[in-house]
Amino acid sequence: MREVYDQWEGNDEFVDFRVPSEDIPLLQEHLDCEIMIDDLGQAVYETFPKVAEELKLETTGDFQAMTDLFFKEYRPLNTIYSWLDMMKETFPDFVEIEWLGQTYEGRDMKALHLSVDKGLNPDKKTIVLTAGVHAREWISTSTALFTIFKLLTEYGHSKKETRYLEQLDFLIVPVFNPDGYAYSWSQDRLWRKNRQETYIPRCFGIDIDRSFGYHWTKSEDYPCGESYSGEAAFEAIEAENLDTYINVTRKDHQIYGFLDLHSYTQKILCPYAYSCDEQPRDIENLLELAYGISKSIRLRYGKHYEVLPACKDRGVDIMPGLGAGSALDFMYHNRAHWAFQLKLRDTGSHGFLLPSEFIVPVGKEIYAAVKYFCEFILNPDL
Ligand SMILES: [Zn+2]
């Protein structure tokens, strides 16, 4: 069935598929299944902004009103990049926009580097946060932007954020897959991969989260499939760009923490993704931190985020190879001692098509998680 339908999510307990409506009676006859989203077209429509024209961002106006408006809807790539420029203009002393490289279609990959001392203090610990690796997971990108906004605006007002920005560096990539993201706005809301050409004409895209070069193995998926790994490690340009960014451009940075935001199913995934046979070093502490993160999320709006090893979530015990090449394992191996993939809301009622009214609640609950993570990185003995 994996080959026939677009699998959204699944493990050994459940699978979410996108299926044509004419197949439903047959499926219901043979399987114990439930329809989560009845009208996909309507659900897609509801994730786009209600106002047709692009939001105009101005640094001169009321900053708070502008921000409230910005987080009311998901935003297209151009608006997001203008918003990053606006953050740089508003907080020039501790925001740098850094360039990770270009994508296959020539778009820029950008990171916001938040640091009160312009990244010049080599003793500081660095936290890397990425989002939007999978194009259709829009809530991950809006949440990364919300995190940037909170860290910057609370600095100087709240003791905690002031300490975070003084004692930590943040490298935040809110749109890791700009080509895919743009394509999910213009052509196919449910696009997942990047937009690179493959060896099969008219089959585009590599799954970036299967492309990283730590325990990479070639996926069984062919180039038209959703989980195609490419023919070699780092064939996805975006994965290679991150490798260069952290291991060449920012190789002096002491990366301690990595959070990779995805959706959906409400989970906190620990290394490793590639194998359940390999135990990460410090597994007890990793799990303890993950449960702490989960609790900090629950305290915000009562949402439960399950903690489990990424290999289990990827279904590696059923089909070895499904977990290879993840950003999580790569970053855990590359200095990020405390590394997690967070899958945000919801648990399937909207899936990837989470309506925009959830941008702020999800932003707030994950920001609580980020704060907990920062506290831990600053005081690992607590
Ligand atoms: Zn994802």
Side-chain angles (χ1 to χ4, degrees):
M1 215 151 83
R2 266 191 95 236
E3 301 297 319
V4 185
Y5 300 128
D6 171 22
Q7 182 183 332
W8 280 19
E9 268 299 338
N11 55 27
D12 44 5
E13 284 164 21
F14 78 96
V15 214
D16 291 349
F17 283 106
R18 172 168 47 144
V19 302
S21 50
E22 60 267 26
D23 291 5
I24 289 174
L26 187 68
L27 287 168
Q28 281 181 326
E29 215 175 283
H30 296 280
L31 294 169
D32 174 19
C33 55
E34 181 188 348
I35 298 169
M36 304 292 280
I37 301 172
D38 199 8
D39 185 342
L40 194 66
Q42 181 63 25
V44 164
Y45 173 78
E46 281 169 13
T47 60
F48 282 92
K50 312 293 171 287
V51 183
E53 67 262 28
E54 223 175 276
L55 178 65
K56 294 264 180 301
L57 297 167
E58 287 150 359
T59 41
T60 47
D62 178 346
F63 183 73
Q64 187 59 49
M66 174 75 69
T67 310
D68 291 347
L69 202 58
F70 181 77
F71 287 112
K72 255 201 161 67
E73 303 282 2
Y74 296 106
R75 300 296 172 190
L77 188 67
N78 288 345
T79 310
I80 290 172
Y81 278 2
S82 303
W83 188 83
L84 296 184
D85 292 338
M86 190 175 92
M87 289 295 120
K88 159 96 182 121
E89 277 176 47
T90 313
F91 304 94
D93 294 338
F94 41 92
V95 174
E96 289 298 332
I97 297 176
E98 296 183 341
W99 189 70
L100 275 71
Q102 279 200 327
T103 60
Y104 182 78
E105 292 180 334
R107 292 184 180 83
D108 291 324
M109 277 179 82
K110 294 178 182 183
L112 230 64
H113 186 170
L114 311 185
S115 169
V116 287
D117 43 33
K118 301 275 180 196
L120 292 174
N121 180 354
D123 297 329
K124 280 167 70 180
K125 296 173 176 177
T126 297
I127 292 177
V128 178
L129 189 137
T130 52
V133 169
H134 292 136
R136 60 194 176 188
E137 298 166 12
W138 289 3
I139 191 67
S140 68
T141 288
S142 68
T143 301
L145 298 172
F146 190 83
T147 300
I148 291 169
F149 166 72
K150 289 300 274 184
L151 285 172
L152 289 174
T153 51
E154 296 291 334
Y155 174 78
H157 299 286
S158 141
K159 261 192 196 151
K160 284 191 170 178
E161 277 81 356
T162 307
R163 194 163 132 258
Y164 301 158
L165 281 181
E166 280 170 359
Q167 298 182 11
L168 297 167
D169 264 28
F170 295 87
L171 304 173
I172 302 180
V173 187
V175 189
F176 199 89
N177 175 10
D179 290 352
Y181 190 75
Y183 192 76
S184 73
W185 276 79
S186 64
Q187 304 292 326
D188 178 357
R189 174 66 186 83
L190 291 166
W191 188 257
R192 167 185 164 93
K193 304 185 286 180
N194 73 6
R195 291 292 303 161
Q196 257 170 271
E197 261 179 7
T198 66
Y199 67 85
I200 297 187
R202 290 191 300 279
C203 278
F204 291 89
I206 296 170
D207 181 354
I208 298 168
D209 208 31
R210 297 265 154 92
S211 183
F212 285 90
Y214 182 72
H215 283 276
W216 182 89
T217 51
K218 191 169 140 36
S219 69
E220 293 183 12
D221 227 349
Y222 73 126
C224 284
E226 294 286 358
S227 303
Y228 176 57
S229 65
E231 298 299 300
F234 289 120
E235 191 179 325
I237 293 171
E238 297 81 2
E240 195 194 3
N241 285 344
L242 183 70
D243 184 29
T244 309
Y245 182 58
I246 65 150
N247 287 320
V248 181
T249 320
R250 290 276 158 234
K251 67 172 187 305
D252 55 327
H253 275 242
Q254 306 194 34
I255 296 167
Y256 270 69
F258 174 62
L259 296 176
D260 186 21
L261 306 185
H262 286 250
S263 75
Y264 59 96
T265 57
Q266 295 176 200
K267 281 176 187 151
I268 297 163
L269 306 177
C270 312
Y272 289 105
Y274 81 93
S275 165
C276 287
D277 300 330
E278 215 52 57
Q279 282 281 330
R281 57 190 186 258
D282 249 358
I283 180 69
E284 290 82 11
N285 292 334
L286 262 176
L287 284 174
E288 203 183 312
L289 174 53
Y291 283 112
I293 291 172
S294 176
K295 189 178 171 193
S296 66
I297 294 173
R298 194 166 64 248
L299 288 175
R300 200 70 186 75
Y301 293 111
K303 292 293 171 193
H304 174 66
Y305 279 57
E306 187 188 350
V307 172
L308 73 161
C311 60
K312 285 248 162 65
D313 190 59
R314 292 262 188 125
V316 170
D317 33 4
I318 304 160
M319 207 189 283
L322 280 182
S326 70
L328 175 68
D329 289 358
F330 169 76
M331 289 298 289
Y332 182 65
H333 178 66
N334 280 275
R335 320 202 285 291
H337 198 93
W338 309 105
F340 302 99
Q341 185 188 106
L342 268 56
K343 286 180 154 180
L344 312 184
R345 290 200 211 174
D346 55 12
T347 53
S349 320
H350 300 94
F352 300 117
L353 304 172
L354 196 69
S356 50
E357 71 210 60
F358 293 101
I359 291 172
V360 172
V362 174
K364 284 182 178 170
E365 74 190 9
I366 298 307
Y367 186 64
V370 170
K371 281 172 78 173
Y372 187 90
F373 193 62
C374 292
E375 292 292 333
F376 180 88
I377 300 274
L378 286 171
N379 301 296
D381 303 329
L382 280 185

